[in-house]
Amino acid sequence: MVRDVNKFIKYFVIQIAQWATSYQARINERRSKVEDYYQFADSVRTICDTLRLSNETQKIVLLEIEALKNIRGNVGDNLQNGHYGRLLQDHGMQLFSLTDSDAHLNRTEIGAAFIYTTPEQFLLKLARSNRVLGLSATADLETVISNFDFKYIQQQLGAAFIKGTELVPAATKKDMDVSSRCRDQGVQVNVINVIPDPDQLDDIRVMQKLILKYHPNFEINDDNHAQLALLEQLVQQLMQQLKQKVSDNALYCQKRYLSLFGSFICFLSHRNRRVVLGLQSVLPKLDTEVDTIKMSAQVIEQVFELLAGLLCPDEKRLPQLHMIAKKLQSEPIEQQVAAALKVRSEEQTRVYLLSAYKTLGVGVNLVRANTEPDQAQIIDIAPETLIFRIHDISKLILMESILER
């Protein structure tokens, strides 16, 4: 049905355009040279008004006519067979909303959105009169919403389409194969699922169970029993507050907190994890913000300090938590990151950087001065052809990411 409606609307718009063109020509024939030229858009509005179309419908008709002109250059050319149902990249897309009108039982309200300039069409338009060199690291990677359709572009350009990767020498491809070099050097990626079980959320010993899950060698004794009890009390109070104040998605917020606390435990329980970057969907909130309880910076700091005291009692300097966010500090993000990494480089203190995906993106420099204890963990994956090898670089990044999934 939607396809038939789409087809009808297209032919109806084309018919209006033809009427408007004829009407415009007749009006301009009658006007003298000193009179204003009668515009095509005004002619379309006149036809639509005669048909008693609403102002919103008139806008849709004008947009559709303009879009059809952009595709073929002439509205009438769209009457060819096979126009409907062809490739999305060739014709874009049209989205229609059909709703029965409460004002009149025999009237249907039609909403529409038209997207005709696709990325492929934009590239093809450039390629018609220019030589186009495309440089991208992700243009051919499959994503949730797909990506550039290079098969379609190659079909349209024929022999003029040249795939640059096919011209790259074998030696260069080998140097660029980072995955193979990582495997050859024994690099491993460990994914730790820190999402808590649903039955743990109301458990009065939830933190004790999380600690034993990720740090089985942890022992409860007289020295740490009181501190563990204080930690359990703090977390249980948080869980109850979430139930009371966040009725719509309390379960989600509870899991998000406990997942974060689980990542703290994974970091603190292994001394060889010296710098860790933790990224969330939201930033920690100050006490003055709305819905602070959903991700309270104060509670997060308290939990980290208690966990550090429990899991790292023998370390000379307890690990530190640095939250990276504009609203939490006056310094720019880059300076906050540099100051946090400096704690490791100069004080040899383990650091957990906590931020959000949008705040600490790929453009932020995470390079730091390398310390002697970190040298043993560095794996050289540089190709033999590079002039400077990785162990010759004075500043390196040594980060471990604990992934939440």
Side-chain angles (χ1 to χ4, degrees), residues 169-362:
T172 304
K173 288 183 179 180
K174 184 179 179 181
D175 287 345
M176 296 172 63
D177 190 356
V178 178
S179 299
S180 296
R181 296 204 303 273
C182 287
R183 288 192 295 267
D184 294 342
Q185 297 298 327
V187 176
Q188 295 182 348
V189 177
N190 297 322
V191 179
I192 303 175
N193 185 359
V194 294
I195 298 178
D197 298 328
D199 57 350
Q200 290 182 322
L201 299 178
D202 296 323
D203 195 326
I204 60 174
R205 296 184 299 171
V206 60
M207 293 307 296
Q208 177 181 327
K209 291 185 176 181
L210 285 179
I211 291 174
L212 293 176
K213 179 179 180 180
Y214 303 118
H215 188 22
N217 297 326
F218 176 76
E219 295 182 359
I220 303 174
N221 51 45
D222 295 337
D223 295 332
N224 59 25
H225 182 270
Q227 193 168 4
L228 179 59
L230 181 60
L231 175 63
E232 296 285 14
Q233 181 181 356
L234 175 63
V235 173
Q236 278 304 307
Q237 183 179 0
L238 173 64
M239 296 296 108
Q240 294 303 319
Q241 288 179 343
L242 288 170
K243 282 186 177 181
Q244 297 171 4
K245 298 182 179 181
V246 189
S247 57
D248 54 341
N249 57 351
L251 181 62
Y252 171 76
C253 293
Q254 288 176 325
K255 288 184 176 181
R256 184 168 61 190
Y257 267 114
L258 293 181
S259 297
L260 178 60
F261 299 160
S263 72
F264 288 168
I265 297 170
C266 291
F267 163 63
L268 295 169
S269 58
H270 294 80
R271 292 193 178 187
N272 62 341
R273 292 171 179 163
R274 296 178 171 92
V275 179
V276 165
L277 172 63
L279 297 178
Q280 299 188 121
S281 57
V282 295
L283 288 168
K285 295 178 177 291
L286 297 170
D287 290 342
T288 55
E289 294 185 77
V290 179
D291 293 333
T292 301
I293 192 64
K294 290 185 178 181
M295 188 49 61
S296 171
Q298 182 179 0
V299 173
I300 293 172
E301 287 179 344
Q302 292 174 341
V303 171
F304 186 89
E305 290 176 2
L306 289 170
L307 284 172
L310 284 169
L311 302 177
C312 314
D314 300 331
E315 295 190 32
K316 292 182 180 179
R317 298 181 179 87
L318 288 180
Q320 296 182 14
L321 172 66
H322 284 253
M323 300 184 189
I324 310 299
K326 292 180 180 178
K327 62 183 179 182
L328 300 178
Q329 300 183 45
S330 57
E331 295 82 2
I333 295 299
E334 292 76 9
Q335 292 185 16
Q336 294 183 39
V337 173
L341 295 177
K342 194 175 181 180
V343 172
R344 175 59 197 169
S345 301
E346 297 186 358
E347 302 177 16
Q348 297 192 11
T349 301
R350 298 200 289 138
V351 182
Y352 189 111
L353 281 72
L354 177 61
S355 190
Y357 299 105
K358 292 183 178 180
T359 302
L360 210 163
V362 294

Side-chain angles (χ1 to χ4, degrees), residues 73-87:
N74 190 306
V75 175
D77 292 342
N78 285 279
L79 288 171
Q80 60 179 311
N81 293 328
H83 172 68
Y84 301 97
R86 292 179 64 180
L87 291 174

Side-chain angles (χ1 to χ4, degrees), residues 123 126 131-137 139 148 150 161-165:
L123 287 177
L126 291 176
R131 291 193 218 178
V132 180
L133 175 63
L135 296 176
S136 175
F148 284 93
F150 286 107
F161 178 81
I162 301 174
K163 196 170 183 178
T165 53

Side-chain angles (χ1 to χ4, degrees), residues 2-206:
V2 173
R3 185 169 179 171
D4 292 339
V5 171
N6 183 11
K7 190 174 182 179
F8 166 76
I9 291 176
K10 286 287 192 305
Y11 275 89
F12 179 66
V13 168
I14 291 171
Q15 186 62 60
I16 289 179
Q18 292 175 346
W19 288 337
T21 301
S22 176
Y23 182 68
Q24 178 194 21
R26 292 192 178 186
I27 294 297
N28 284 325
E29 285 177 359
R30 299 176 183 177
R31 291 191 174 184
S32 63
K33 294 182 179 180
V34 296
E35 289 183 290
D36 293 335
Y37 183 78
Y38 190 59
Q39 301 295 327
F40 176 74
D42 293 329
S43 180
V44 171
R45 292 189 184 93
T46 300
I47 300 297
C48 291
D49 190 64
T50 303
L51 296 174
R52 297 185 178 180
L53 300 181
S54 65
N55 292 334
E56 288 298 321
T57 304
Q58 292 182 29
K59 291 179 182 178
I60 292 175
V61 171
L62 285 168
L63 288 173
E64 179 70 356
I65 290 175
E66 189 63 29
L68 293 174
K69 283 183 177 180
N70 291 336
I71 292 177
R72 298 294 181 187
N74 190 306
V75 175
D77 292 342
N78 285 279
L79 288 171
Q80 60 179 311
N81 293 328
H83 172 68
Y84 301 97
R86 292 179 64 180
L87 291 174
L88 166 69
Q89 291 82 353
D90 195 11
H91 295 287
M93 71 167 124
Q94 309 87 37
L95 303 175
F96 293 96
S97 171
L98 308 177
T99 307
D100 289 337
S101 175
D102 291 336
H104 198 294
L105 294 178
N106 294 327
R107 179 172 295 176
T108 299
E109 295 178 354
I110 300 176
F114 308 103
I115 304 174
Y116 290 110
T117 305
T118 61
E120 289 80 7
Q121 283 294 332
F122 179 75
L123 287 177
L124 290 174
K125 187 175 181 180
L126 291 176
R128 290 191 185 101
S129 55
N130 304 277
R131 291 193 218 178
V132 180
L133 175 63
L135 296 176
S136 175
T138 59
D140 58 350
L141 295 180
E142 289 295 330
T143 66
V144 176
I145 57 173
S146 190
N147 213 321
F148 284 93
D149 189 344
F150 286 107
K151 290 183 179 179
Y152 169 76
I153 295 175
Q154 186 172 15
Q155 179 187 26
Q156 298 297 312
L157 295 178
F161 178 81
I162 301 174
K163 196 170 183 178
T165 53
E166 297 176 355
L167 306 178
V168 177
T172 304
K173 288 183 179 180
K174 184 179 179 181
D175 287 345
M176 296 172 63
D177 190 356
V178 178
S179 299
S180 296
R181 296 204 303 273
C182 287
R183 288 192 295 267
D184 294 342
Q185 297 298 327
V187 176
Q188 295 182 348
V189 177
N190 297 322
V191 179
I192 303 175
N193 185 359
V194 294
I195 298 178
D197 298 328
D199 57 350
Q200 290 182 322
L201 299 178
D202 296 323
D203 195 326
I204 60 174
R205 296 184 299 171
V206 60

Side-chain angles (χ1 to χ4, degrees), residues 367-371 375 378 380 382 386-397:
V367 176
R368 64 178 176 85
N370 193 27
T371 61
Q375 288 283 357
I378 295 176
D380 184 358
L386 286 184
I387 298 177
F388 300 104
R389 297 180 59 75
I390 286 189
H391 55 66
D392 294 326
I393 302 176
S394 60
K395 290 188 176 180
L396 298 172
I397 175 175

